[in-house]
Amino acid sequence: MMIGAFFPLHTFYTEKKRPHSAKPYQYLDNYVQYNFKNYQYILALLFAIEEINGNPYILPNISLGFDFYNTKYTERDTLVFTFLWLTAHVERKVLPNYNCKKRNFTAALTGTSWITSAQIGTLLQLFKFPQITFGPYDTILSDHGQYSSLYQMASKDTSLTLAIVSLMVHFRWSWVGLILPNNHKGNKILSDFREEMERNRICIAFVKMIPSTWTAYFTSFWENMEETNVIIIYGDIDSLEGLMRNIGQRILTWIVWVMNIEHTITYDNDYFMLDSFHGSLIFRHNYRENFEFTKFIQTVNPNKYPEDIYLPKLWNFFFKCSFSDINCHVLDKCQTNASLDLLPRHIFDVIMTEESTNIYNGVYALAHSLHQMRLQLLQMQPFENGEGMVFFPWQLNTFLKDIEMRDKRSLEWRQTKDSGYDILNLWNLPKGLGLKVKIGSFSANAPQGQQLSLSEQMIQWPEIFSEIPQSVCSESCRPGFRTVTQQGKAICCYKCTPCADNEISNETDVDQCMKCPESHYANTEKDHCFPKSVSFLAYEDPLGMALGSIALCLSAFTAFVIGIFVKHRDTPIVKANNRALSYILLISLTFCFLCSLNFIGKPNTVACILQQTTFAIAFTVALATVLAKAITVVLAFKVSFPGRMVRWLVISWGPRYIVPICTLIQLLICGIWMTTSPPFIDQDAHTEHGHIILLCNKGSAVAFHSVLGYLCILALGSYTMAFLSRNLPDTFNESKFLSFSMLVFFCVWVTFLPVYHSTKGKVMVAMEVFSILASSTALLAFIFGPKCYIILLRPEKNSFNHIKKKTRSKQKILLKYSR
């Protein structure tokens, strides 16, 4: 049972494309060069056939054989070889539909180019002749309407783009070039790459399509190649042959090539140590290694297979054997231990390649199909003695399709392939080393995040790189910055801008900065959020300590004034202007100073309520007392009453009701405030960087301003009464001091409002404390300062004799007002 094998063992060149390589020999009008890598295909075919022929359980009493045709890259020669095989005619005469030697043909084995397989398949399709391809999987060949008897052994590259893009993501390569064949496969993979790269924010620097006629596109093809350090090459061996040869003749040591084919290292005597492909990364379907095949290669030699016309040439070329004069197939002066496994790996690899694995699987698929068909034929009509199995090749399609419908499952005869890829690193320094070292793998079936596995320490990069190469359009935005896409450019070409206030980015190349929570703040570098420390106007702070000390000192000083007034309570200056009102005013001022302490320290609910209520009540009593004092002077000197008794009642008891009435009104306002919207503890996380300030929220702004407005009304009323009595006799009259203190008080609180609303945090609290202390100090200083001066420093003026002397000249006026 014969298998027809159609694939090239040479690389064919025209005169213009002739490479600078070792020992090409002329063949007609073309130049040919041995492609020693492809000779492994013949050995894989031979190995599989010998295994099957030696297995008594597969095709007993039937032997497999093969005819090999070294196809060229012209459709005419390919079809001629196919016709010659089908007709079994040794002469180059084609007799269609005739089998001149009555040989049993089974199937054709074609590769590696899909074009060669398609050309042969178009012919074999006419006879429904089975065809097995071992080249890369191709969608055109999978069209069963056009190629109903063609079967592909290669696996689909369903996850190749995902695998390559995962490698790009791992090394942070976001700016890569693409070189693809200018055919349907190139267009399909380009679409897949674009989709996968957009999903992972990787940009394509350029796309170069490999032309069918290489020399016509030679000059412009290499333009802009320096834009990126990483270039992906996709295609099959045949479509990339011209490109790979041209790259090898150049010194492109700054590029990391990522490929889907195992590049064939040509045996060139160019005496360069550097190689453009050193450090390349290659994706290859992972499969179980066949150690028996390696042992088989070690036994291959020209004496074992004398019918092989290529082995003597290999021995002559590499082991310097000479041809015998009698028979050119017999070699003389050969090493006794000469073997293919002694050749460098870049010339001939003893490990079964992916294409050889497909050949091995294809031969076994064919053998099992023949075996199944033989069993079926035996059940239908047993063979007579000496009669062999007679069948038509198209009958095999049923059994081959049955194997294909199993989705190429792992059978006992099959070299299994996983759904993933091995990642190889090409070590070719010095040039000619040609080692392909497995440095990782990719499995599409693995969990997300575990699909790619790499041993980075084993990777050798191109010569100019001492570490992992970078391939980006723009430098990475470090933590603390975010990317801003530039108009008209790819998303990978961006500029970096710092994160906004209280925003961070703790990774490189982020699109949006992350806002820190309210309880955290961004550091200066804007790459971390730290918890904010709680802050408030504490006694330990310099500002809190200063304000607290001032408040205590002023309250102590007020107590000292009270003591002076109590001690000199019977003196004229103390008794003047209602001694009881003076005591009330001094005590209320003491509380005004002390109420400011409620604003210092850690806020709590009670403190927040006491802040406003004590402040409102204390100042209301103080201002109401000042108002009573001013009204007393006006009533005493400017208002006439009918009858002495009425005058005494109004002057003596009238002012006494002013203080409680005014205080009750303020208590009513505060009561409504505390009932409807009382103050509460609040947090200010924005005013001071890195701190959360605790403070008391007023609750109701209307109520707070109502309290201040009421105090201002009392101050304005006191100022008006004091102003009206400013020109009365000054011996008993403190109206000038009252009016000036009210003027200062009014100015302090009118100024307080805009400043209060323009500040935040602890400064706002300090402003309120300062206003309380300033206005209280104004009342204390301007009202009681002159009295204390007379009492302590000018006691001679604080006597009835001095007053009588001073007022004798004005007695008539005083008597008039007293009446």
Side-chain angles (χ1 to χ4, degrees):
M1 299 296 177
M2 301 302 293
I3 302 173
F6 301 86
F7 51 83
L9 281 185
H10 298 86
T11 301
F12 292 82
Y13 305 104
T14 63
E15 176 64 30
K16 294 182 179 180
K17 293 185 179 180
R18 177 181 173 179
H20 303 287
S21 56
K23 295 184 180 179
Y25 63 89
Q26 192 169 7
Y27 174 77
L28 298 178
D29 57 345
N30 293 326
Y31 288 87
V32 297
Q33 183 182 24
Y34 277 117
N35 191 342
F36 303 114
K37 288 282 186 178
N38 286 11
Y39 184 69
Q40 191 190 89
Y41 302 161
I42 292 182
L43 297 182
L45 177 60
L46 184 60
F47 173 66
I49 288 176
E50 288 189 358
E51 271 193 350
I52 294 170
N53 290 340
N55 190 340
Y57 301 104
I58 303 178
L59 298 175
N61 301 322
I62 295 178
S63 296
L64 290 179
F66 71 94
D67 291 322
F68 171 68
Y69 292 87
N70 186 11
T71 59
K72 297 171 64 176
Y73 290 95
T74 61
E75 185 175 3
R76 175 183 175 276
D77 289 337
T78 300
L79 294 178
V80 166
F81 287 152
T82 307
F83 268 116
L84 288 175
W85 179 67
L86 287 174
T87 60
H89 207 279
V90 292
E91 298 180 5
R92 296 181 65 87
K93 294 180 180 179
V94 176
L95 300 174
N97 299 325
Y98 282 89
N99 187 344
C100 297
K101 289 190 177 182
K102 302 297 182 182
R103 302 171 72 182
N104 289 326
F105 298 119
T106 55
L109 182 67
T110 63
T112 56
S113 170
W114 71 272
I115 298 178
T116 301
S117 297
Q119 291 169 353
I120 297 175
T122 303
L123 176 59
L124 297 182
Q125 172 66 20
L126 299 176
F127 310 99
K128 304 299 180 183
F129 200 96
Q131 179 184 1
I132 298 174
T133 67
F134 63 90
Y137 186 88
D138 193 274
T139 55
I140 289 182
L141 299 181
S142 63
D143 183 3
H144 291 291
Q146 187 175 0
Y147 305 101
S148 61
S149 57
L150 187 147
Y151 309 95
Q152 301 187 71
M153 288 294 105
S155 301
K156 294 181 180 180
D157 289 327
T158 54
S159 58
L160 178 62
T161 54
L162 176 61
I164 294 178
V165 171
S166 297
L167 184 74
M168 305 291 115
V169 173
H170 177 81
F171 288 119
R172 297 182 179 273
W173 294 336
S174 60
W175 189 244
V176 299
L178 284 178
I179 298 180
L180 310 171
N182 192 12
N183 54 31
H184 65 284
K185 296 181 70 173
N187 294 328
K188 176 63 170 62
I189 202 69
L190 176 60
S191 175
D192 294 342
F193 270 123
R194 288 189 188 277
E195 180 180 351
E196 196 64 39
M197 287 182 174
E198 287 179 2
R199 188 181 298 116
N200 291 275
R201 300 184 61 80
I202 297 175
C203 300
I204 300 176
F206 57 81
V207 178
K208 295 184 180 294
M209 308 301 287
I210 303 172
S212 56
T213 305
W214 175 257
T215 54
Y217 202 66
F218 179 80
T219 304
S220 59
F221 187 86
W222 300 104
E223 294 178 355
N224 305 323
M225 197 70 73
E226 68 282 353
E227 287 187 8
T228 177
N229 292 331
V230 177
I231 298 178
I232 301 171
I233 299 178
Y234 175 86
D236 54 42
I237 295 176
D238 298 308
S239 64
L240 297 179
E241 188 274 333
L243 170 72
M244 306 301 268
R245 183 179 69 251
N246 204 286
I247 293 176
Q249 294 172 353
R250 295 171 174 268
I251 304 298
L252 305 174
T253 56
W254 70 88
I255 296 176
V256 178
W257 305 98
V258 181
M259 304 179 288
N260 72 314
I261 64 168
E262 297 185 51
H263 170 51
T264 299
I265 306 296
T266 57
Y267 188 64
D268 294 344
N269 291 331
D270 53 14
Y271 303 104
F272 281 108
M273 286 189 64
L274 302 180
D275 178 49
S276 298
F277 288 105
H278 174 68
S280 299
L281 299 174
I282 303 168
F283 282 79
R284 179 189 69 184
H285 283 288
N286 46 21
Y287 49 83
R288 186 179 62 198
E289 188 172 349
N290 193 326
F291 295 102
E292 295 298 323
F293 178 72
T294 304
K295 295 179 182 179
F296 166 76
I297 287 181
Q298 294 173 351
T299 65
V300 173
N301 59 68
N303 295 325
K304 184 178 179 181
Y305 300 102
E307 70 278 6
D308 191 333
I309 65 173
Y310 295 101
L311 277 176
K313 296 176 183 179
L314 287 173
W315 253 248
N316 174 261
F317 191 88
F318 292 109
F319 301 115
K320 308 304 178 184
C321 300
S322 60
F323 290 105
S324 172
D325 293 336
I326 300 175
N327 189 341
C328 64
H329 285 181
V330 178
L331 303 175
D332 293 333
K333 300 178 183 180
C334 287
Q335 303 174 15
T336 57
N337 62 342
S339 175
L340 290 175
D341 68 322
L342 298 178
L343 297 178
R345 293 295 177 262
H346 71 277
I347 296 176
F348 187 87
D349 199 342
V350 297
I351 299 175
M352 186 177 280
T353 63
E354 183 173 348
E355 290 79 12
S356 297
T357 302
N358 292 334
I359 292 174
Y360 182 90
N361 292 335
V363 173
Y364 263 93
L366 179 62
H368 278 268
S369 298
L370 283 169
H371 187 78
Q372 294 296 325
M373 186 176 66
R374 182 175 183 273
L375 294 177
Q376 189 180 86
L377 291 176
L378 284 173
Q379 292 176 0
M380 295 173 59
Q381 184 178 0
F383 302 147
E384 296 180 1
N385 293 334
E387 183 181 0
M389 184 173 65
V390 179
F391 68 98
F392 293 101
W394 57 264
Q395 292 177 278
L396 275 173
N397 288 321
T398 303
F399 302 95
L400 286 171
K401 287 179 179 179
D402 183 55
I403 291 179
E404 189 179 49
M405 288 300 291
R406 301 176 194 176
D407 197 23
K408 301 185 180 67
R409 292 182 301 176
S410 174
L411 305 178
E412 60 179 4
W413 48 267
R414 186 174 178 76
Q415 295 294 310
T416 58
K417 295 181 184 179
D418 298 332
S419 60
Y421 299 87
D422 289 333
I423 304 175
L424 309 179
N425 184 216
L426 179 59
W427 296 2
N428 200 33
L429 184 68
K431 189 172 183 179
L433 180 62
L435 293 181
K436 296 172 183 174
V437 182
K438 181 179 176 180
I439 50 92
S441 61
F442 177 87
S443 178
N445 296 330
Q448 189 72 22
Q450 303 177 17
Q451 296 174 321
L452 184 68
S453 174
L454 286 176
S455 299
E456 294 186 14
Q457 67 277 6
M458 295 179 60
I459 302 177
Q460 289 191 11
W461 300 108
E463 293 84 353
I464 68 169
F465 298 112
S466 58
E467 56 185 13
I468 298 176
Q470 298 297 315
S471 186
V472 295
C473 180
S474 302
E475 290 296 328
S476 295
C477 295
R478 58 184 176 85
F481 290 79
R482 65 180 180 89
T483 61
V484 178
T485 305
Q486 302 184 52
Q487 187 174 4
K489 294 186 178 181
I491 60 173
C492 301
C493 301
Y494 48 76
K495 61 180 181 179
C496 302
T497 184
C499 293
D501 292 339
N502 209 40
E503 291 185 354
I504 67 161
S505 62
N506 51 14
E507 297 180 358
T508 58
D509 297 336
V510 298
D511 295 330
Q512 295 293 333
C513 297
M514 179 178 61
K515 193 173 183 62
C516 291
E518 290 292 332
S519 58
H520 291 67
Y521 71 97
N523 60 348
T524 306
E525 292 77 17
K526 296 184 178 180
D527 56 359
H528 285 90
C529 290
F530 293 106
K532 292 182 178 180
S533 58
V534 178
S535 177
F536 49 85
L537 187 60
Y539 289 105
E540 293 80 9
D541 293 341
L543 183 60
M545 185 180 298
L547 293 174
S549 300
I550 293 173
L552 291 175
C553 292
L554 290 174
S555 59
F557 184 75
T558 306
F560 173 71
V561 173
I562 293 175
I564 293 176
F565 269 60
V566 172
K567 182 178 180 181
H568 300 85
R569 59 183 177 277
D570 295 326
T571 60
I573 199 167
V574 175
K575 295 173 66 177
N577 296 103
N578 200 322
R579 180 171 52 189
L581 291 178
S582 296
Y583 290 154
I584 295 173
L585 179 57
L586 286 171
I587 294 172
S588 64
L589 288 176
T590 303
F591 282 104
C592 287
F593 289 124
L594 293 177
C595 78
S596 63
L597 299 178
N598 288 326
F599 294 84
I600 306 174
K602 186 174 183 179
N604 55 68
T605 305
V606 176
C608 289
I609 294 175
L610 289 177
Q611 281 181 8
Q612 307 306 323
T613 53
T614 55
F615 157 72
I617 300 304
F619 269 86
T620 300
V621 173
L623 293 176
T625 305
V626 173
L627 179 62
K629 278 177 159 292
I631 290 177
T632 300
V633 175
V634 173
L635 292 177
F637 291 97
K638 282 196 171 185
V639 180
S640 299
F641 296 97
R644 189 179 297 273
M645 181 59 67
V646 176
R647 173 185 176 85
W648 178 79
L649 289 174
V650 173
I651 295 175
S652 299
W653 294 96
R656 297 183 182 182
Y657 294 102
I658 294 176
V659 175
I661 292 173
C662 293
T663 304
L664 286 175
I665 295 174
Q666 188 68 285
L667 284 173
L668 180 62
I669 297 174
C670 290
I672 297 173
W673 182 6
M674 297 303 135
T675 303
T676 56
S677 181
F680 57 90
I681 302 174
D682 199 3
Q683 296 181 352
D684 183 2
H686 307 285
T687 301
E688 193 171 341
H689 182 70
H691 294 84
I692 296 177
I693 301 175
L694 295 181
L695 45 81
C696 292
N697 190 300
K698 300 297 187 292
S700 173
V702 175
F704 173 69
H705 289 89
S706 298
V707 169
L708 290 182
Y710 181 69
L711 293 177
C712 289
I713 291 173
L714 291 179
L716 186 62
S718 301
Y719 173 77
T720 303
M721 292 296 103
F723 183 79
L724 292 176
S725 58
R726 68 187 185 283
N727 294 323
L728 295 178
D730 58 358
T731 303
F732 303 97
N733 188 13
E734 57 181 356
S735 297
K736 292 181 180 180
F737 303 112
L738 293 177
S739 60
F740 194 71
S741 64
M742 288 297 100
L743 184 61
V744 173
F745 180 92
F746 190 78
C747 291
V748 167
W749 288 103
V750 169
T751 308
F752 162 78
L753 288 175
V755 176
Y756 176 82
H757 289 290
S758 62
T759 55
K760 298 291 183 182
K762 292 190 291 186
V763 178
M764 181 179 67
V765 179
M767 276 302 306
E768 191 168 359
V769 174
F770 175 78
S771 299
I772 292 173
L773 296 178
S775 56
S776 302
T777 303
L779 294 177
L780 179 65
F782 292 117
I783 295 176
F784 296 99
K787 298 179 185 293
C788 292
Y789 171 76
I790 293 175
I791 293 173
L792 298 177
L793 300 179
R794 303 295 297 273
E796 68 277 4
K797 291 184 178 182
N798 190 18
S799 62
F800 286 105
N801 292 331
H802 175 74
I803 295 173
K804 287 179 180 179
K805 291 179 182 179
K806 190 175 182 179
T807 57
R808 187 172 298 165
S809 59
K810 301 178 182 179
Q811 187 173 8
K812 294 181 180 180
I813 298 174
L814 292 174
L815 289 173
K816 179 181 178 181
Y817 280 103
S818 60
R819 292 176 182 176

